[in-house]
Amino acid sequence: MRYIVRALKYFIQVFLLLIVILAVLMMLGAISTDIDKIFTGGWKSVGWIAVMFACVSLVYPRFGYASRSLSVPGEYGGLKPGIAEYMQARGYVVEKEDGENISFRLASGFGRFARMYEDRITFTREFGGFRIEGPNKDIVRIINGLETKFMKNE
């Protein structure tokens, strides 16, 4: 179900971006205000663009969201302050803490809106570190940064 919700949110986000771009171009007079003149097939072309966006949106959550391991040895009590400090420096705040599992959200309301509220980064404790889930591009940066940070501390 989460997959379908993410795909739908991505579809809406991309389609709204197209509408905003077209509206700005129309207001600036760069393109006609008649859809039949903008696109060769008129409204039929808009339908095909929507189908294309839907296909891309159905695939995006598979590659846009991931779960990866973060290898950092140590006790949870010693790791938590460093993780919280690192995440806060990147604009995240603790959303909830459940035992040795932590989830973070973006602090900025605009940042959350821009990502269609799909900004949660979850740290789940596992042997030898954490399993991190969230937007793929964010967790890759976070994992690299945290591994570097904790390697320096050793």
Side-chain angles (χ1 to χ4, degrees):
M1 184 64 173
R2 189 90 204 125
Y3 188 92
I4 294 169
V5 169
R6 284 180 175 159
L8 185 59
K9 284 181 176 182
Y10 187 69
F11 175 78
I12 291 168
Q13 184 179 26
V14 171
F15 216 78
L16 285 176
L17 181 62
L18 174 68
I19 290 170
V20 167
I21 290 170
L22 289 176
V24 168
L25 290 173
M26 285 177 186
M27 285 190 284
L28 294 174
I31 60 174
S32 172
T33 56
D34 184 14
I35 294 294
D36 291 323
K37 290 182 181 175
I38 296 172
F39 299 110
T40 304
W43 285 103
K44 186 176 181 181
S45 293
V46 173
W48 281 110
I49 291 170
V51 168
M52 181 187 68
F53 284 166
C55 291
V56 170
S57 296
L58 286 173
V59 176
Y60 177 73
R62 175 77 179 118
F63 301 104
Y65 298 90
S67 174
R68 297 176 186 252
S69 290
L70 167 65
S71 298
V72 287
E75 297 287 327
Y76 176 75
L79 296 173
K80 182 187 179 256
I83 291 171
E85 175 188 323
Y86 182 85
M87 294 299 286
Q88 185 177 14
R90 268 119 199 101
Y92 287 87
V93 293
V94 174
E95 176 189 32
K96 95 180 150 177
E97 188 175 351
D98 181 24
E100 293 189 345
N101 303 327
I102 314 169
S103 95
F104 294 89
R105 300 298 300 257
L106 282 172
S108 163
F110 177 75
R112 294 190 69 209
F113 176 75
R115 293 179 181 216
M116 301 290 286
Y117 299 94
E118 291 292 337
D119 61 331
R120 179 179 289 124
I121 306 286
T122 305
F123 287 70
T124 305
R125 188 73 164 136
E126 64 179 20
F127 183 73
F130 292 90
R131 170 129 324 254
I132 302 180
E133 296 177 40
N136 200 17
K137 67 179 183 170
D138 294 337
I139 65 172
V140 168
R141 289 181 191 136
I142 289 167
I143 288 171
N144 288 334
L146 285 172
E147 285 178 345
T148 302
K149 176 184 176 91
F150 286 111
M151 292 297 183
K152 286 181 183 176
N153 290 344
E154 289 181 4

